[in-house]
Amino acid sequence: MLTQILFFNTSHFAITVFTAFTFFAAGLLYLDSWQLDKKGKTPLLRSLGFFF
């Protein structure tokens, strides 16, 4: 019982960290694409959405 709780808690933490890193990377990519063409505001808003 205790080992199952430890395993599930650790796997939940790892999935959460991986998800946070994925959203952060997507936000950086959208921010970088916005810096190439600053006319459109959509990539800027999407990057802020991924960061939050």
Side-chain angles (χ1 to χ4, degrees):
M1 169 89 177
L2 196 58
T3 57
Q4 288 177 344
I5 293 172
L6 177 67
F7 174 72
F8 289 131
N9 197 13
T10 305
S11 63
H12 181 263
F13 175 75
I15 290 170
T16 304
V17 168
F18 179 72
T19 305
F21 175 72
T22 303
F23 277 103
F24 183 72
L28 284 178
L29 288 173
Y30 272 111
L31 186 64
D32 189 41
S33 70
W34 173 74
Q35 288 180 353
L36 291 175
D37 183 25
K38 291 191 177 188
K39 293 177 190 171
K41 297 292 182 189
T42 304
L44 177 63
L45 294 175
R46 285 186 183 169
S47 67
L48 290 175
F50 275 113
F51 286 137
F52 287 122

